[in-house]
Amino acid sequence: MKKLSYLGATLLYVLFMGGIQGLAQETKEKDWMLGPFQRFTQGKPIISKDTLSTFNDPMSGKEVRWESMATFNPAAVVKDGKINVFYRAEERVGEDGIGTHTSRLGLATSEDGVKYNRKKKPVFYPDNDDQKKYEWTGGTEDPRIVETEDGTYVLTYTQWNRDTPRLAVATSKDLKNWEKHGPAFEEYKDGKYNDMHTKSGAIVSKLNEEGKLIAAKINGKYWMYFGVPHIWLACSTDLVNWEPIEDYEGNISPVLSPRPGYFDSWLVEAGPPPVLTEDGIVVLYNAGNSKNIGVEELGNRIYTGGQALYDANEPWKILDRADKPFIKPELDFEKSGQYKDGTTFIEGLVYFKDAWYLYYGTADSMVGVVKSKDKE
């Protein structure tokens, strides 16, 4: 038998290791978890920055290159047989540091989950409207989106005025024309939480008979997990005005917190819309690690993805929680960019052609996607 050449041996090794990684991704830690998820885009992002696209900015009155810095942290929803991905786009404005640029939301659509067509202009942005005190000049960031039974789309996003990040709500019937409703907690108890740093609103959803993810009511109310470095819970009857869940003393009470000794030892942050299943509410969340009290090999500040299970009738009651991340930065584009420690920051989830598609931001710079073939 002839000896393998060095090149041939190397190729065989790569294929073997790739097979091992693939097999590892085909397992999941607990039966109730969504997934398992697999990478399927040949190690490449689906959306990256574009230094050529321009937009007439209402804030400055100038033409700006609105996605020249980065494109990341996506939401997703299925409409008319297409996946619609709303991604955060940052304009390079000569400043240095995360959170110092201006953010707007772009839109990319796909008929097959593989190829994406992008709009040339942002579809949601800080405008000369009644929300400018909350959105100028930092912008509109980190969306999540759900559809209602009557076909209304509800967008939760972060308003950033370079002072206080606020969780806000907007609605649309067509994904093109949006009505901004302002901060989610602005009306609650005379604005008790309006100046609290809030973000990352993930509204509980369920698969309907048509296989679409729809905002779910539990005991007559909608529910939303939100926040960082803990995850809190809020409820609503109209999906616009929200009431944080408080304890008997009137203090906001976390329903998920960091855990020393685990991958989520530094912080937890709400991910894409949670899914109401036969087992309960599956909450996918972002997890930050502190290696001195967490998982040493992950390093500091790295963002991975976790899953937790909550009671279907008591959304504040946790039933189970994964001990290991189900997704983490592994590929080059997931570990290079603005956030050099690496992120797989999960924000968008759709069920499309009998598969789950999970969309995530990488290193605050690009958009990635993984796919599951599990049928629910």
Side-chain angles (χ1 to χ4, degrees):
M1 183 176 179
K2 294 183 178 180
K3 291 184 179 180
L4 285 172
S5 66
Y6 176 78
L7 180 60
T10 301
L11 177 61
L12 188 63
Y13 174 78
V14 170
L15 290 173
F16 176 71
M17 292 306 292
I20 289 178
Q21 183 181 27
L23 287 172
Q25 291 176 343
E26 289 175 5
T27 62
K28 56 184 178 181
E29 183 182 334
K30 299 174 183 287
D31 289 340
W32 55 262
M33 293 173 64
L34 295 188
F37 293 94
Q38 292 181 308
R39 290 174 169 85
F40 66 99
T41 60
Q42 289 74 51
K44 298 178 181 179
I46 59 168
I47 300 172
S48 302
K49 67 181 180 181
D50 185 341
T51 59
L52 299 179
S53 53
T54 60
F55 166 68
N56 291 320
D57 176 34
M59 293 187 294
S60 64
K62 300 178 181 178
E63 185 176 78
V64 299
R65 298 187 183 276
W66 63 280
E67 53 184 349
S68 59
M69 177 69 190
T71 54
F72 57 112
N73 292 9
V77 68
V78 175
K79 183 180 184 296
D80 298 331
K82 296 180 181 180
I83 303 175
N84 292 258
V85 179
F86 290 80
Y87 59 92
R88 174 180 170 184
E90 283 191 339
E91 168 198 356
R92 182 182 292 278
V93 291
E95 299 171 346
D96 196 17
I98 291 174
T100 63
H101 306 284
T102 297
S103 294
R104 303 171 181 90
L105 302 187
L107 174 62
T109 60
S110 176
E111 296 182 355
D112 59 8
V114 178
K115 297 179 180 178
Y116 293 81
N117 297 313
R118 291 160 67 168
K119 298 289 186 183
K120 295 181 179 179
K121 308 293 183 182
V123 295
F124 193 88
Y125 48 85
D127 205 343
N128 190 19
D129 54 28
D130 62 0
Q131 295 304 307
K132 65 181 183 180
K133 66 178 179 179
Y134 295 133
E135 297 177 358
W136 286 29
T137 56
T140 53
E141 304 178 350
D142 296 357
R144 278 86 169 163
I145 190 168
V146 295
E147 184 180 357
T148 67
E149 291 284 359
D150 69 357
T152 299
Y153 298 94
V154 181
L155 180 77
T156 59
Y157 68 101
T158 301
Q159 298 178 312
W160 174 231
N161 61 1
R162 301 189 187 275
D163 179 34
T164 301
R166 289 178 176 85
L167 178 60
V169 179
T171 56
S172 174
K173 284 291 188 178
D174 57 10
L175 298 181
K176 298 176 182 178
N177 301 291
W178 291 92
E179 180 182 358
K180 295 178 180 179
H181 298 280
F185 308 125
E186 190 172 28
E187 301 299 323
Y188 181 69
K189 290 188 175 178
D190 296 322
K192 176 180 178 180
Y193 296 105
N194 198 41
D195 291 330
M196 174 181 172
H197 287 209
T198 54
K199 60 187 304 189
S200 304
I203 298 171
V204 177
S205 59
K206 65 179 179 180
L207 281 175
N208 67 7
E209 295 179 355
E210 300 174 358
K212 295 181 68 175
L213 276 176
I214 300 294
K217 275 190 174 182
I218 299 172
N219 299 323
K221 295 180 179 180
Y222 298 103
W223 298 84
M224 176 175 66
Y225 295 84
F226 72 96
V228 64
H230 302 270
I231 293 177
W232 293 276
L233 185 65
C235 63
S236 174
T237 58
D238 61 7
L239 290 165
V240 172
N241 299 290
W242 292 86
E243 299 180 2
I245 301 303
E246 300 173 327
D247 61 21
Y248 79 96
E249 294 179 309
N251 299 316
I252 192 170
S253 182
V255 295
L256 196 74
S257 293
R259 296 178 294 178
Y262 292 87
F263 66 97
D264 46 14
S265 55
W266 176 40
L267 60 79
V268 292
E269 183 170 354
V275 181
L276 181 60
T277 71
E278 293 180 354
D279 297 306
I281 305 168
V282 180
V283 175
L284 282 65
Y285 65 94
N286 295 290
N289 184 61
S290 178
K291 71 177 185 178
N292 63 310
I293 58 170
V295 179
E296 185 172 359
E297 56 266 30
L298 283 179
N300 290 320
R301 289 166 37 93
I302 189 171
Y303 277 80
T304 63
Q307 297 192 38
L309 183 69
Y310 287 79
D311 188 277
N313 295 306
E314 298 176 306
W316 53 86
K317 183 179 179 181
I318 190 167
L319 302 177
D320 201 2
R321 188 172 179 179
D323 294 331
K324 299 177 181 179
F326 75 95
I327 184 172
K328 61 183 179 181
E330 295 177 305
L331 304 178
D332 288 343
F333 78 92
E334 297 168 346
K335 297 184 290 185
S336 60
Q338 286 192 89
Y339 196 93
K340 298 186 183 302
D341 300 282
T343 73
T344 44
F345 194 87
I346 53 177
E347 278 195 36
L349 180 69
V350 298
Y351 195 67
F352 182 71
K353 296 183 178 179
D354 296 326
W356 290 107
Y357 286 76
L358 178 66
Y359 293 85
Y360 59 97
T362 68
D364 279 9
S365 297
M366 288 171 272
V367 175
V369 62
V370 289
K371 177 182 177 182
S372 166
K373 269 298 181 182
D374 270 7
K375 290 187 178 182
E376 300 296 326

